[in-house]
Amino acid sequence: MEFLVFGDQTAGAEQFSQLCELTRLKSNPILVAFLERSAAAIRDETQRLEPKWRAAIPRCATFAQLVNEYCERRAKIPQLESCLASIAQLGHYFK
């Protein structure tokens, strides 16, 4: 029996390595669809933000681009980090 526990939003570098790993798994259609829909949801929510907040979040077409751009910027956006942590945890479940 396996258990999946969510909650730790402070994973940091571990979270981003897991996200990078998930974006490379192209053979899992459920995971791929989940990441595509996650990227679309982040884009939609970002468009609803005030311009000063919107500018801090990378504009990317794919989830892989978002993760790479966010890691390269090295700017901490707690709201986005929490969102990415949840996606990493759920993506691990789909993997």
Side-chain angles (χ1 to χ4, degrees), residues 23-82:
T23 61
R24 290 189 295 270
L25 298 174
K26 306 291 185 198
S27 62
N28 184 331
I30 294 172
L31 177 61
V32 169
F34 171 70
L35 295 178
E36 287 174 359
R37 290 180 180 176
S38 296
I42 291 171
R43 280 192 305 273
D44 291 346
E45 291 299 320
T46 300
Q47 291 305 312
R48 294 184 178 135
L49 296 173
E50 293 180 27
K52 68 177 182 178
W53 298 110
R54 191 179 324 145
I57 298 175
R59 297 182 69 198
C60 299
T62 67
F63 189 75
Q65 288 174 342
L66 174 66
V67 170
N68 290 334
E69 180 71 24
Y70 186 69
C71 288
E72 287 177 13
R73 285 189 184 188
R74 300 185 189 264
K76 298 292 183 189
I77 304 169
Q79 299 85 341
L80 185 57
E81 291 217 1
S82 180

